[in-house]
Amino acid sequence: MKTCMYLRKSRAEDLSDSTGDTLRRHRETLEETARAMQLTICGVYEEVVSGEDLYARPEMLRLLRDVKDGVCEAVLCMDIDRLGRGTMSQQGVILETFKEAGVRIITPQKTYDLRDEMDEDYTELQTFFARKELKLIKKRMRRGVERTAADGGYLANAPYGYEKTRAGRLPTLKIREDEAAYVRQMFLSYANGEGTPAIAAFLNACGAHPRRSEAFTRGAVMNILRNPVYTGTVIWNRRRFLRSGGQSPGCRKIENNREQWVVTHGKHPAIVTQELFDRVQARMRARSKPSGTGRELVNPFAGLIRCANCGGLMQLRPRANRPGGYLLCERAGCCPSCDFSDAADTLRNALRPLLRRIPIQPAAPDPCDQKREYLLLKAEKRLRTQEGRLCTLLESGIYSPALYEERRRILLAQREKLSEQLCRLPAAPDNPQRTKDFTAEDALDGASPAEENRLWRLLVRSILCRSERGPDGHHVSFEIQLRCSPDV
Ligand SMILES: [Zn+2]
């Protein structure tokens, strides 16, 4: 059988070995095989390859041309790995050329006849190449990701506030100013003591949308506040994905230990300063509670309500499988427990008139509030434009009355949210329409339980709770002892 011999050594392999040695050894093995199988060698193709590209392998190209021209009936090589390297399509070219010319591939171990589609060997060959290619792709990708992160590039989807761009060949991020303004506001507000639900409400009133959902939730705000990408940092290897077996489809995200994170200085610009980011993280740590099973109940009257019976502090306890909670004296069997939200309402109503009598000096305009106002006014302007356009769309017949009504409802809901947020802005001297006399009661609006607690502690020394079960039912009454009279 007329046979061509193909010898190839990659530059990468056998670094200890000189090129000549490897090729000589391979040649001896192949010549032995040829003798044993009584093959007639009609040509030798020998090359040292540095890349994996077929077009960087001139001898392979010459071999393919000769195979096509019917120079030989078989090609002898060390293993199929030597023959097929490069991309899948290039391996396809090699396989197709051999198959069409009816040329066999002979290795010292095995002979492949590619003409027979049903040939198991052919299938085996294909899967071999496919597997090889897949492994190669994975390896290249991992290396690519590592290299990109080490160079400060950013590969994942652009987080809120950024969009994808390239710095030369390096994928990275650039700032989307419309979103970045909200990101800055989120960090500022949180650092100034606002809670994530209030921040989410503010963003939604401004008409800001997160990337993959309709409205901002406290969780979405929290994720942004936690993401170091906003300080210009790139973190790689933060999570790993586990392919979940069994019924549940998809992957499970698992957070790696911090020691495993690869943190580099990113090529992208920061949206917030490291100092602000650190302040936000510190406040988050201070607020997070060590025990964390489900929803945490926070008592705005914590440390203030005492049992009238025994004088011990009463605790807020969650109800099993139900929202809300109840107040309980720590001493077992001391007094019946009472519903917490009823108690809180009673106490707030009793204390509100006092708060109303405490005037609050308007503070100097807070830069955080000024930015907030700017964003809200911009959102209002946008909304006005949308409302104007809506009428035009109806009049020009582009919108049906039904569609118009639907769109109008959405805009009205947005306007409502917006006005609510605008009302919460502190009165500024240049906004005479919102000037009103502020009292301590205004501080109660939108306050988190912790903030409310601070307010009550300033005002109240203690609250005695008398909870009794009489023959005509359960009676709860409170006796509030103030620190000082607000008139003083
Ligand atoms: Zn008690």
Side-chain angles (χ1 to χ4, degrees):
M1 200 177 338
K2 283 202 291 182
T3 306
C4 292
M5 196 191 288
Y6 179 73
L7 289 150
R8 193 217 63 190
K9 182 192 179 299
S10 118
R11 257 187 232 290
E13 67 188 354
D14 295 340
L15 283 175
S16 54
D17 201 21
S18 80
T19 305
D21 278 351
T22 311
L23 284 179
R24 189 170 39 77
R25 263 189 293 113
H26 286 176
R27 194 176 181 137
E28 280 167 11
T29 312
L30 290 183
E31 278 168 352
E32 220 167 89
T33 310
R35 262 196 306 279
M37 292 179 74
Q38 296 182 315
L39 306 171
T40 318
I41 302 298
C42 61
V44 177
Y45 305 76
E46 196 176 293
E47 63 191 343
V48 179
V49 192
S50 56
E52 308 212 297
D53 193 356
L54 175 59
Y55 300 99
R57 293 160 62 183
E59 283 295 275
M60 175 51 95
L61 288 175
R62 189 165 72 87
L63 174 67
L64 286 177
R65 213 167 37 239
D66 289 349
V67 163
K68 209 183 257 170
D69 291 347
V71 169
C72 61
E73 297 159 88
V75 168
L76 180 62
C77 61
M78 279 304 288
D79 48 57
I80 43 180
D81 183 26
R82 305 273 143 187
L83 215 51
R85 270 282 177 92
T87 68
M88 201 59 190
S89 70
Q90 291 178 349
Q91 286 165 5
V93 169
I94 298 171
L95 284 180
E96 276 310 302
T97 310
F98 278 65
K99 198 174 127 193
E100 263 170 38
V103 169
R104 289 165 197 200
I105 299 171
I106 301 171
T107 71
Q109 292 81 34
K110 192 166 188 160
T111 300
Y112 300 90
D113 186 350
L114 306 185
R115 263 170 311 188
D116 187 358
E117 291 256 11
M118 293 294 116
D119 191 346
E120 256 177 53
D121 293 338
Y122 182 58
T123 323
E124 189 188 309
L125 203 62
Q126 277 184 318
T127 43
F128 172 83
F129 281 136
R131 209 166 38 231
K132 189 98 195 148
E133 182 71 7
L134 195 69
K135 255 171 123 173
L136 209 67
I137 287 172
K138 276 188 181 163
K139 207 159 134 193
R140 268 199 213 135
M141 261 179 63
R142 204 173 51 236
R143 266 197 224 128
V145 169
E146 276 169 34
R147 168 56 63 85
T148 305
D151 290 349
Y154 193 92
L155 274 170
N157 286 329
Y160 187 80
Y162 284 110
E163 60 188 329
K164 285 185 174 188
T165 185
R166 275 178 183 278
R169 288 187 59 200
L170 196 69
T172 180
L173 301 169
K174 69 175 175 195
I175 294 179
R176 258 190 75 165
E177 204 33 65
D178 55 334
E179 292 180 351
Y182 293 127
V183 173
R184 280 184 210 108
Q185 192 57 46
M186 280 184 237
F187 277 91
L188 270 175
S189 298
Y190 192 87
N192 280 8
E194 210 161 320
T196 44
I199 295 174
F202 167 78
L203 294 167
N204 292 329
C206 286
H209 292 291
R211 289 283 165 76
R212 273 177 290 276
S213 60
E214 256 313 294
F216 273 100
T217 58
R218 51 188 300 177
V221 172
M222 198 50 114
N223 281 341
I224 286 175
L225 294 176
R226 279 204 189 110
N227 196 343
V229 75
Y230 295 111
T231 63
T233 304
V234 172
I235 294 186
W236 174 73
N237 206 28
R238 183 176 180 178
R239 299 191 185 96
R240 65 177 182 280
F241 295 88
L242 286 191
R243 215 177 290 278
S244 49
Q247 306 94 326
S248 56
C251 290
R252 207 149 54 90
K253 264 193 239 175
I254 289 194
E255 187 110 327
N256 284 329
N257 292 332
R258 267 174 185 270
E259 305 88 77
Q260 289 173 282
W261 294 12
V262 181
V263 182
T264 47
H265 189 73
K267 277 270 182 291
H268 64 277
I271 290 180
V272 299
T273 62
Q274 188 68 46
E275 187 266 330
L276 179 58
F277 184 82
D278 290 343
R279 252 164 65 208
V280 163
Q281 307 313 305
R283 179 165 179 243
M284 239 179 238
R285 274 194 301 277
R287 285 165 67 91
S288 72
K289 307 203 177 39
S291 68
T293 44
R295 271 233 169 111
E296 207 68 47
L297 277 177
V298 188
N299 183 356
F301 295 96
L304 292 173
I305 306 178
R306 291 186 175 273
C307 169
N309 226 12
C310 70
L313 276 175
M314 294 188 73
Q315 304 287 334
L316 168 58
R317 292 288 174 82
R319 282 202 187 88
N321 307 323
R322 267 198 298 162
Y326 57 92
L327 276 176
L328 182 73
C329 175
E330 289 278 80
R331 236 180 70 186
C334 178
C335 62
S337 64
C338 59
D339 184 82
F340 177 72
S341 64
D342 287 350
D345 285 347
T346 310
L347 289 170
R348 279 195 199 102
N349 288 337
L351 287 162
R352 264 179 194 276
L354 282 174
L355 291 176
R356 234 172 277 146
R357 282 157 65 190
I358 306 172
I360 290 181
Q361 293 299 318
D366 182 345
C368 180
D369 284 328
Q370 285 175 324
K371 282 195 191 115
R372 207 200 302 256
E373 179 173 22
Y374 166 78
L375 289 172
L376 285 170
L377 291 178
K378 218 168 95 181
E380 194 183 33
K381 200 172 145 194
R382 205 165 49 227
L383 193 60
R384 254 201 316 276
T385 318
Q386 282 177 314
E387 283 165 345
R389 206 184 305 138
L390 192 60
C391 292
T392 319
L393 285 168
L394 176 71
E395 281 157 17
S396 60
I398 294 171
Y399 272 10
S400 67
L403 188 56
Y404 167 80
E405 265 309 314
E406 192 196 321
R407 295 295 306 165
R408 205 175 67 96
R409 246 200 325 277
I410 293 171
L411 291 182
L412 272 179
Q414 189 64 29
R415 174 158 290 282
E416 222 166 85
K417 281 190 221 162
L418 203 56
S419 337
E420 192 198 314
Q421 290 286 333
L422 278 166
C423 286
R424 285 180 53 184
L425 283 177
D430 55 338
N431 284 305
Q433 74 270 19
R434 275 203 307 278
T435 312
K436 80 170 226 207
D437 290 333
F438 276 86
T439 68
E441 193 187 9
D442 294 297
L444 202 57
D445 283 339
S448 69
E451 286 159 346
E452 200 184 327
N453 190 240
R454 247 191 328 249
L455 188 66
W456 298 136
R457 278 168 186 265
L458 283 172
L459 204 67
V460 175
R461 177 164 294 130
S462 74
I463 299 163
L464 278 187
C465 171
R466 194 173 298 280
S467 177
E468 290 163 329
R469 209 184 300 280
D472 51 342
H474 186 192
H475 291 282
V476 183
S477 62
F478 297 97
E479 191 184 312
I480 301 173
Q481 292 176 344
L482 296 177
R483 288 195 171 275
C484 60
S485 155
D487 292 319
V488 178

